[in-house]
Amino acid sequence: METISLTKKRFETLTPYELPNYVYNTEGTLYVLPIKNRWTTQLKLLKRLYLTNGKVFGNKLQTINSLIDNKEELDIEEIVFPEKIATVGGEIVGFTMPLIDSINLSTALRSRDIDNERKINYLKQIGMILEKMKLRREYTNVSDFYINDLHESNFVVDGNDNVKAIDIDSCKINGNGIFNSKYLSSKSFINEVYKYVKNNECSNEYGYHKYSTDMSGAFIPDENTDLYCYIIVILNFLYGDNIQNFTLQEFYDYLEYLQYIGIDKELLSYFEKIATCSENVNPYELLDSLIPYIGRSNYHVYSYHKKKSSK
C-alpha cells in the first residue's frame, strides 16, 4: 500500500478544490496537493474523508486499495483511479488521485456555450465506459467492478472533450461493502422493480453514513443498477431537471410523451426496460437520434403539452 505522508502544518497550507455550488461531495473535502519532483511540480487532488474510523472507513480503505491494486489489469484510461493513501500527522485521512484539467459534466450539460451534439457525445462516452467495464468483468479477475454511484457530477470533461469517471471510491469491487448511490434511492421508483436486489444487510453503521441525505445505497450494485443510473442521467438531460423522484406512472407518462414527439422507438424501449423485469440495455449507440428532439423534451414544453391535453 503506497502512502503519501503530510505533516499537519503542510496540510493546513493546502488550497481547497472548488466545486460548482450544485455539486455536493458528501464523503469528504477535496484539496489541491502540489507534488514536487526535482524541477517540476505536479498537481494532485487529495480527498480527505469525513469518517476516518469504523466499518465505513474500513470498507473505504478496502475499496481504494482494490482500485489501486487492479488499475493496471482493468486498464481503463477513462476512469480516474486513486493513486496513494494519504496520511496527515501519521493518521490515515484519505487518498490522492490525479487532478484533471476539466469541467464537471453537470456544468457541461447545463452550459449554453456547448452545443447539443457535443453534449450527446459526452453521454455516449459514459455508455462506452460502461461497455469497457463489462468487458473487464468478463475477461479479467475483477468480476464485480461496477460504478454504483453513477451520476452527472461524478464525471468530468477534459480539454479534448473526453469524459472521465471520477470519485469512484464508492464503486463495487472485489467483494467490498456497499456504499451510497445518489440515484439508487429509497425515493425512486426503482423500489417497485424487483430485478434490483435490495441489500438487506445494509445498516446505518455500515452501508451509509451520517452525511447521507437519504437512505441511498440500499441496492446491490450490478450491471442493471449501473445502466439504470446511466439512463436516469440521459433522461435528466432530456427533461432538463431531475426525474429521479418520478413515480412509476409519471415515468411512463413521460416516455409516452417522448414517443409522441417522435423519439426512436427502439431507444424508448431501452429506456422503458429500467422499469421492467427485463435486463437493462446500454443505449449509447442510439443516442445521436435524440439530437433533433432536445428542447421539445424539456419539462417546460412537456408541462405545456400536459396542460393542453387535459383541457
Side-chain angles (χ1 to χ4, degrees):
M1 177 174 68
E2 281 195 86
T3 63
I4 183 165
S5 301
L6 305 178
T7 63
K8 291 181 180 180
K9 185 175 180 179
R10 187 187 176 195
F11 176 76
E12 290 170 357
T13 67
L14 301 183
T15 303
Y17 182 75
E18 292 188 13
L19 295 169
N21 57 14
Y22 46 81
V23 174
Y24 301 98
N25 196 327
T26 61
E27 292 187 325
T29 305
L30 297 174
Y31 296 88
V32 178
L33 175 63
I35 302 292
K36 291 185 178 180
N37 183 9
R38 292 190 177 182
W39 300 280
T40 63
T41 299
Q42 286 186 319
L43 296 180
K44 303 291 184 180
L45 275 182
L46 186 155
K47 183 173 181 178
R48 178 162 189 162
L49 301 168
Y50 295 132
L51 294 183
T52 55
N53 56 64
K55 290 185 177 180
V56 174
F57 180 60
N59 188 34
K60 183 66 69 173
L61 286 182
Q62 177 189 339
T63 304
I64 294 165
N65 282 321
S66 290
L67 288 167
I68 293 171
D69 291 344
N70 290 283
K71 177 183 176 180
E72 298 302 321
E73 184 173 12
L74 291 170
D75 189 28
I76 303 177
E77 64 180 355
E78 296 86 358
I79 294 179
V80 180
F81 284 83
E83 291 184 332
K84 296 181 180 180
I85 297 295
T87 67
V88 173
E91 176 190 1
I92 296 177
V93 298
F95 63 95
T96 63
M97 55 187 146
L99 174 58
I100 308 295
D101 186 12
S102 60
I103 62 171
N104 193 273
L105 179 61
S106 291
T107 302
L109 294 176
R110 292 166 181 248
S111 174
R112 295 182 179 181
D113 297 325
I114 299 175
D115 62 42
N116 289 329
E117 287 81 1
R118 287 172 66 193
K119 291 177 182 179
I120 288 295
N121 181 50
Y122 301 155
L123 295 174
K124 287 171 63 178
Q125 288 185 58
I126 297 175
M128 294 166 70
I129 292 171
L130 294 180
E131 282 297 295
K132 286 190 175 184
M133 292 178 66
K134 182 176 182 178
L135 289 173
R136 300 309 187 271
R137 291 193 296 269
E138 292 176 1
Y139 297 109
T140 72
N141 294 319
V142 188
S143 60
D144 64 340
F145 182 38
Y146 304 99
I147 292 179
N148 179 42
D149 191 20
L150 192 161
H151 58 84
E152 298 88 340
S153 297
N154 276 351
F155 294 88
V156 295
V157 182
D158 70 14
N160 296 314
D161 263 4
N162 296 317
V163 172
K164 296 184 181 294
I166 59 168
D167 214 22
I168 62 163
D169 51 293
S170 293
C171 75
K172 187 76 179 76
I173 187 170
N174 282 347
N176 66 336
I178 297 170
F179 293 102
N180 299 26
S181 174
K182 180 177 180 178
Y183 290 149
L184 304 179
S185 165
S186 61
K187 298 178 181 178
S188 170
F189 63 79
I190 190 174
N191 288 272
E192 301 179 49
V193 186
Y194 294 116
K195 72 182 172 194
Y196 305 109
V197 183
K198 292 186 177 182
N199 177 28
N200 294 327
E201 296 179 357
C202 214
S203 70
N204 282 331
E205 182 184 8
Y206 189 80
Y208 340 109
H209 55 71
K210 64 182 179 180
Y211 298 96
S212 300
T213 56
D214 65 88
M215 300 296 279
S216 304
F219 292 87
I220 297 176
D222 60 13
E223 187 172 354
N224 278 324
T225 60
D226 271 5
L227 289 172
Y228 170 89
C229 294
Y230 175 40
I231 289 172
I232 293 296
V233 168
I234 297 167
L235 291 173
N236 283 349
F237 171 67
L238 290 177
Y239 188 63
D241 204 348
N242 192 347
I243 74 157
Q244 177 197 6
N245 295 332
F246 272 10
T247 65
L248 202 54
Q249 185 59 56
E250 288 170 335
F251 174 74
Y252 278 116
D253 287 346
Y254 183 60
L255 291 190
E256 186 177 331
Y257 172 72
L258 295 182
Q259 182 177 2
Y260 168 78
I261 65 175
I263 286 181
D264 182 83
K265 290 184 179 179
E266 183 180 5
L267 180 55
L268 287 176
S269 73
Y270 292 171
F271 291 167
E272 183 182 11
K273 284 181 185 297
I274 68 170
T276 73
C277 290
S278 300
E279 296 296 297
N280 293 340
V281 176
N282 192 332
Y284 79 97
E285 293 182 317
L286 300 177
L287 295 188
D288 284 329
S289 67
L290 291 173
I291 294 172
Y293 304 99
I294 298 169
R296 294 173 64 194
S297 59
N298 187 279
Y299 72 94
H300 291 294
V301 183
Y302 174 53
S303 298
Y304 175 77
H305 170 78
K306 285 203 302 181
K307 288 179 182 177
K308 186 178 178 180
S309 300
S310 63
K311 291 182 179 178

